[in-house]
Amino acid sequence: LASTRYCLAAPGDEYLVYAPEGGSVTLDLRDAKGPMTVEWFVPLIGQSLVVETEVQGGDYVVFPAPFTGDAVLFVRRR
């Protein structure tokens, strides 16, 4: 489901992705219909960062990490 291969998911509802080297994450949201909220977590400082309020499901989506270093991406159905 995720380009990093580290993904816990309830396909169509929520996706939790670990990006050990940061960068961009490509996520398969083909089973997700409608708007999805996006949140990043910065493990180094233990803080969440909301960057976008929503993306549309239904296709593959690329999420560039808004910071350097390892990152956690959380995408869930709105």
Side-chain angles (χ1 to χ4, degrees):
L1 292 174
S3 59
T4 65
R5 298 176 44 189
Y6 299 102
C7 182
L8 296 173
D13 291 320
E14 42 185 36
Y15 305 79
L16 185 65
V17 181
Y18 177 59
E21 298 178 18
S24 293
V25 172
T26 301
L27 189 57
D28 181 353
L29 295 179
R30 291 178 295 170
D31 289 335
K33 305 300 179 209
M36 308 286 287
T37 60
V38 178
E39 185 175 343
W40 286 93
F41 180 75
V42 188
L44 183 63
I45 60 173
Q47 186 175 15
S48 293
L49 178 65
V50 177
V51 177
E52 300 176 45
T53 55
E54 69 180 42
V55 296
Q56 290 297 316
D59 204 353
Y60 290 90
V61 179
V62 177
F63 297 91
F67 50 87
T68 59
D70 64 332
V72 177
L73 172 65
F74 181 49
V75 180
R76 64 186 160 115
R77 190 165 44 156
R78 191 168 176 96

